[in-house]
Structures are given as C-alpha cells and as structure tokens.
Amino acid sequence: MKRIAYAAFILLASFVHADIRFTRVTDETGIQFRHFNGATGEKHLVETMGGGAAFFDYDNDHDLDIYFVNGAPLTVAAVFNSDALLPTNQLYQNNGDGTFTDITQRAGVGDTGYGIGCCVADYDNDGYRDLFITNFGQNVLYRNNGDGTFTDATNDAKLVDEPCFSAGCAFADYDNDGWLDLVVVNYVLIDLETAPDCSQVGIPAYCRPEDFPPASDVLYRNNGDGTFTNVTQDVGLTALGRGLGAIWTDVDNNGSLDLYIANDREPNFLYQNNGDGTFAELGELNGIARNEHGDAESSMGIDTADYDNDGDFDVILTHYQTETNTLYQNDGSGIFRDVTAQSRLSEPTLLPLAWGTGFVDFDNDGWLDLFFANGHLHDNIEELEEIGVYKQQNQLFRNGGNGTYINISEKSGDGLLIKKSSRGTIFGDYDNDGDLDILVINIADTPDLLRNDTPPVHHWLGVKLVGEKSNRDGIGAKITLQSGDTNLLREVKSGTSYLSQNPHRLLIGLGTADQVDRIIVRWQNGVQDVVENVRGNQWLTIQEGAGIISD
C-alpha cells in the first residue's frame, strides 16, 4: 500500500530537488522582541521551559501576524529590585511589506504573567481568532473584538482555575457540536518557596521533572454561549502525567478527533475518542506511549501529519539529550510503529536536546520535511556533564520520498547555522510568496525569523477554510488534493510544535503539477465539499457547503 503511494507521487513531484535555503531576517522586519525567563541564579525549573509563539491573522487582512509569549520575574523581590518595565507578551502586526509593527499596547494583549505557551482559535465563531495563553500561574483568554483590540475574557468564559504550571494547549471540537473545546496540559506542581536544591556536587543545577508531582490536565467543553465547563473527569481524561505538548488529530480516520499528549519522562497518552463524548486512554495498547525499546522518553514537542503520503496521520516527538526524536508511523487504524531507525533519524537526533518541531514541506515537492529546534535545558551543562552544549544548532531533514529523511542542516543557508537555546517554533508563509517560513523562539534571547529563500521550482496551493455548521476555523477538517492517482492529505489543527500555534490556513506543495484535479474537504460534521480543476500558485478560501468563495 505504501509502495503504491510512493510510486504514484513520484510521477507528480518527479523528485526535482530545489536547494532549501533560509535567511535570518528578524532585525530588518522590525521585530524587537526578546524572551525573558526571569532567571536569577536560583535555578527554578520554570525558567527553562517557556518560549511559545503563534502565527495567526488576527485582523483578517490575509497576512500572518505574530504573537510572542514572554516570561516574567519569578519573585516579588525581583519585581521591586528592577527599574525596568515588566516584560510582557507581544503582538506584532504584519504590515504586508515584509515588516512588522508592535501593536501590543493598542491591542490589549500584553499579559504580564509568566507566560509559557499559547494556542489560537475562533472559540465564539464570530470570524475573528482569539488567543489563549498558558502561564505559570493563572491562564488567560483574550477575546478578539474584531476592531483590532482584544478583551480579557478569562472570567467571563469561566476559565479561572487554580493557578498551575500549564504548558501546551489546543482547541478542537471533540463532541462535533460546532463549538471549539479546549484542552490545557499541565506539567508539574511547583512551589518556588519550597522547591528543593538540586545542585550537583556543589554546581547549581535545575531539578528534574520527577522531583515534582505531576499535575492533572484539563478539558473544557465549549457551552456555545461564550463560557466553558470543566468536563475532565466526566469524559475520562483521568491519566496523570507531566504533560508538555498536546494535539488533536483523527488517528483512526473515523471522523472524531483523538487527543495525543506528550509527557516528560513517562509514557505518552493517546485518548481515543469513543464518539459518545468520552475517551479511552490507549497509548500503550496502540504502540505510541513508548519507543520501540519500551522506554518512556522525555517528550517535549509534537506534530502529526501524513509524512509518507499513505492517507493517515503519523506522529513526530522531540526528546531530551541521548534520546532520539521519535517518528511513529500509523498503520491506518490508529496503531503505531516506531520507525525512527528506518527513517534514518536515530543517529543525528541522539545528542541534541529538541523542543519545537513540525512536518513541513519547505520546497513544495509534496513530501513533508522535518524541522527540530534544539537547545539544552541547563545553561551550565558543560560544567555538569561531559557531553552536551547549551546553545545548539537547529536541524532540517529533507523527506526522501521513500520513508527516509536526509539531514541537510549544514547546507540550508545561514539561517540553519545559528546556535542558540531554542524552544517554540512555528511555520507559516509570513510574506505570502508561496513557501513556508520559520520562526524560532530562543530562551532568554532574540527570536529568529527565517525567510524561506528556496528557488521556486515547484508549485503550491494555499487553502483557508470557513466553517458554517462546523467551527468557523475548520479545525478538524481534512483536505485531500487529488492529481491523477495521487492523494495528498492535510488536516487543520490547533496546538502543535512546542507550546505554539501554526496558522490554520494551509500551504500545500504540488511538486511539478501546476493544477489540482480535485480538492475534497471533509468537514468534521460529515459534510463534504468537492472543487475540481483548480490552478496552482494561489490562495483560495473554501466555505462549508458553498465551495470556493474567494481566490
């Protein structure tokens, strides 16, 4: 089955390889954000974890804007001993000419809490995307007012909970009622005043996650009136883990979204949707809780996609130093197999410590490549261990189209040679030129906006979905592009990578084909839209039940 898929797509892409190249353009675009982690030398674990971001079109002008999540001082003494303004999260508006403007104050989204990550979705179906921020402390929901400003709706939405160490989050309509629900993945329970000293032979060091008790994850059901209800126990999300990443995806292609949670140093969770509003945790049974050796790994970032073009969604997970990043192949029924070694990812990903990640077609050849954002947790790792460095080079792997990946990090432009301690990573076409760019967030450092300067030898198609009975963003919808005998499957998702949010609009590489015979959109509620004979190299919008409404 997989050999047939590979062979069919070779006819479309013809394996014309472009030299994938990235250029750092952060400074010239006007981005002046710098991540603040609040480190004072006391070695609080939270200082090492944050750094999320989002690509999203907050003002509906067809340009991707950027939201940066920032840290904060961790102690009252640090606040009062500083003459500087408190660091805040920041929103940068895309000016449409390759530059950005900081509009945080005007938009009203400058939360001063200790930010960890974020996710984006139109939770109230009003046509404007809203922001949810996970904090070390009280999380925040910003409702988009549609006039360039946001309102803190945390209280009104009934999302005020006991402050926690929240990490990943993701929106999805798990019960198929047309309203987006929200999962929040919590990490560990930490009291800064009573946290242990984890120094190693007199050298200051951060504690391990297992030095703290795990925290419960939370699922909020959208009531459709602007409020949410905590239904965690009712639906069966009862497993306890030190969670960092979360993503909704339909692993068994039955039309109901399943939930995958990446846990740190313990088995990962796969909550399979029973279709009746409840879930069953099947991570171990379905082969995705541990690696092929039976080891539970330190899972950080996560993404799902059809990397092998066989019609189902596979999973990539990033891990700690001396653990490979792990690629799980889906057999089509939601049963997974660790194919890291076969894909040639084992050796090159063993020593780096990886966080953000994504299945992304950087050269538009129709095969999804892989990116890993690397950087150590310990800023003094060279004193603590014989291997490992704090600032590390990120990695880019080209999809070989035959089940294997090729490491091209050293020959993909100056943007891939940067060495920092990276965390959250997002992918989107910020300059609307038909290829996917990268934004990497670096702990206590400036971000790297990497413009994709790959020669345009392949064609592409951009698709934005607008739901009617389904949720407005089309989250959970599957898009299939058919050209001859070839099918390319994509899914609209919330969450992904590490603590971050990719845009909901999709850019899909077509290889050498300059048009698509058929676009099939399968909305989560069962509605199917079919559009035929669509030319490539354009952005188009498909509305549920109406087909193409703009191009």
Side-chain angles (χ1 to χ4, degrees):
M1 180 68 178
K2 298 185 190 306
R3 286 194 296 271
I4 293 173
Y6 292 143
F9 198 75
I10 287 173
L11 298 176
L12 176 63
S14 301
F15 280 93
V16 178
H17 282 319
D19 292 330
I20 298 176
R21 300 191 66 81
F22 285 93
T23 305
R24 185 184 191 273
V25 295
T26 314
D27 301 328
E28 47 264 55
T29 60
I31 295 172
Q32 299 179 345
F33 175 80
R34 185 181 184 91
H35 182 261
F36 177 82
N37 70 339
T40 61
E42 298 179 36
K43 298 294 183 181
H44 295 300
L45 183 61
V46 66
E47 300 166 2
T48 70
M49 306 301 292
F55 267 139
F56 76 118
D57 183 6
Y58 93 95
D59 50 2
N60 286 346
D61 66 352
H62 308 295
D63 294 316
L64 294 179
D65 311 297
I66 301 173
Y67 191 73
F68 294 97
V69 178
N70 211 351
L74 283 167
T75 64
V76 173
V79 174
F80 285 106
N81 290 337
S82 174
D83 294 328
L85 295 174
L86 285 175
T88 70
N89 300 343
Q90 293 181 16
L91 175 62
Y92 278 82
Q93 184 180 45
N94 191 325
N95 299 321
D97 59 1
T99 66
F100 292 85
T101 300
D102 183 351
I103 59 163
T104 309
Q105 186 172 0
R106 171 158 49 96
V109 290
D111 184 42
T112 57
Y114 198 104
I116 303 296
C118 65
C119 51
V120 174
D122 182 5
Y123 79 91
D124 51 2
N125 285 336
D126 67 351
Y128 291 91
R129 277 149 291 283
D130 312 292
L131 271 166
F132 185 79
I133 319 300
T134 58
N135 282 330
F136 177 61
Q138 178 59 55
N139 299 326
V140 177
L141 174 67
Y142 285 115
R143 185 181 66 242
N144 192 328
N145 298 321
D147 60 0
T149 68
F150 291 76
T151 297
D152 185 340
T154 315
N155 285 309
D156 291 343
K158 299 184 179 179
L159 289 174
V160 176
D161 258 329
E162 187 71 25
C164 195
F165 188 167
S166 297
C169 61
F171 286 95
D173 182 9
Y174 81 88
D175 52 1
N176 286 344
D177 65 353
W179 296 95
L180 289 171
D181 313 295
L182 172 66
V183 67
V184 178
V185 175
N186 294 315
Y187 188 43
V188 295
L189 302 174
I190 293 181
D191 183 341
L192 296 183
E193 295 183 0
T194 61
D197 179 0
C198 294
S199 298
Q200 300 179 23
V201 293
I203 301 173
Y206 290 106
C207 294
R208 304 169 303 169
E210 53 264 45
D211 292 324
F212 305 96
S216 301
D217 304 320
V218 183
L219 178 63
Y220 298 99
R221 187 186 64 225
N222 192 327
N223 299 319
D225 59 1
T227 68
F228 291 82
T229 299
N230 185 335
V231 295
T232 311
Q233 297 296 316
D234 297 338
V235 303
L237 264 66
T238 55
L240 197 59
R242 297 174 178 88
L244 286 173
I247 194 166
W248 296 90
T249 187
D250 185 3
V251 299
D252 49 6
N253 278 325
N254 68 354
S256 296
L257 289 176
D258 311 295
L259 174 62
Y260 192 84
I261 294 177
N263 290 319
D264 193 2
R265 298 203 179 189
E266 53 195 312
N268 302 308
F269 300 148
L270 173 61
Y271 286 105
Q272 197 154 9
N273 196 322
N274 296 324
D276 60 0
T278 66
F279 295 85
E281 203 288 292
L282 301 177
E284 298 274 14
L285 184 63
N286 287 28
I288 200 165
R290 306 168 185 266
N291 67 14
E292 65 176 343
H293 305 294
D295 300 324
E297 299 178 289
S298 305
S299 299
M300 316 283 193
I302 184 172
D303 197 15
T304 62
D306 185 13
Y307 86 95
D308 49 4
N309 288 331
D310 68 345
D312 51 46
F313 298 115
D314 313 291
V315 177
I316 186 70
L317 285 167
T318 57
H319 292 120
Y320 201 78
Q321 174 180 292
T322 70
E323 298 175 346
T324 69
N325 297 335
T326 306
L327 177 62
Y328 292 97
Q329 186 182 58
N330 191 336
D331 73 350
S333 66
I335 305 299
F336 292 88
R337 182 169 66 100
D338 179 349
V339 294
T340 310
Q342 297 93 311
S343 66
R344 301 181 184 173
L345 288 171
S346 295
E347 183 178 352
T349 66
L350 182 62
L351 291 183
L353 199 169
W355 306 80
T357 188
F359 287 111
V360 187
D361 185 359
F362 291 116
D363 57 358
N364 289 333
D365 68 350
W367 293 95
L368 294 171
D369 310 303
L370 271 172
F371 182 88
F372 301 120
N374 301 324
H376 214 283
L377 182 147
H378 294 283
D379 53 4
N380 59 343
I381 184 61
E382 292 89 345
E383 299 178 68
L384 298 170
E385 297 183 17
E386 293 183 359
I387 60 172
V389 293
Y390 182 58
K391 295 183 178 181
Q392 301 180 9
Q393 183 179 348
N394 298 326
Q395 293 176 300
L396 175 59
F397 291 81
R398 185 200 293 275
N399 192 325
N402 59 358
T404 67
Y405 279 94
I406 304 115
N407 188 352
I408 59 171
S409 310
E410 298 293 336
K411 53 184 180 180
S412 295
D414 292 344
L416 265 294
L417 301 179
I418 298 167
K419 291 184 179 180
K420 297 182 179 179
S421 189
S422 301
R423 296 295 186 269
T425 305
I426 50 178
F427 311 92
D429 185 10
Y430 84 90
D431 49 3
N432 286 334
D433 65 348
D435 53 36
L436 289 166
D437 311 293
I438 305 173
L439 178 65
V440 182
I441 310 305
N442 303 297
I443 200 87
D445 208 334
T446 55
D448 295 313
L449 179 60
L450 306 180
R451 186 184 64 214
N452 191 335
D453 290 332
T454 303
V457 301
H458 295 128
H459 300 285
W460 56 276
L461 187 67
V463 180
K464 174 186 174 182
L465 299 184
V466 177
E468 285 297 307
K469 292 183 179 179
S470 300
N471 66 85
R472 182 83 174 187
D473 286 325
I475 292 173
K478 303 183 187 73
I479 299 175
T480 301
L481 302 189
Q482 295 182 341
S483 290
D485 294 328
T486 301
N487 295 326
L488 294 179
L489 176 66
R490 300 292 185 264
E491 185 179 38
V492 182
K493 295 172 293 189
S494 170
T496 72
S497 188
Y498 175 72
L499 310 177
S500 298
Q501 173 72 59
N502 292 322
H504 296 134
R505 69 180 197 179
L506 302 178
L507 193 154
I508 306 169
L510 303 179
T512 57
D514 60 2
Q515 77 165 27
V516 175
D517 296 340
R518 186 176 295 104
I519 303 174
I520 302 172
V521 180
R522 294 179 176 86
W523 302 87
Q524 199 179 329
N525 62 8
V527 172
Q528 181 171 296
D529 285 303
V530 179
V531 181
E532 297 185 336
N533 300 320
V534 179
R535 60 182 174 85
N537 301 336
Q538 65 164 325
W539 286 98
L540 54 86
T541 301
I542 298 177
Q543 182 173 311
E544 182 181 358
I548 297 176
I549 59 172
S550 66
D551 55 10

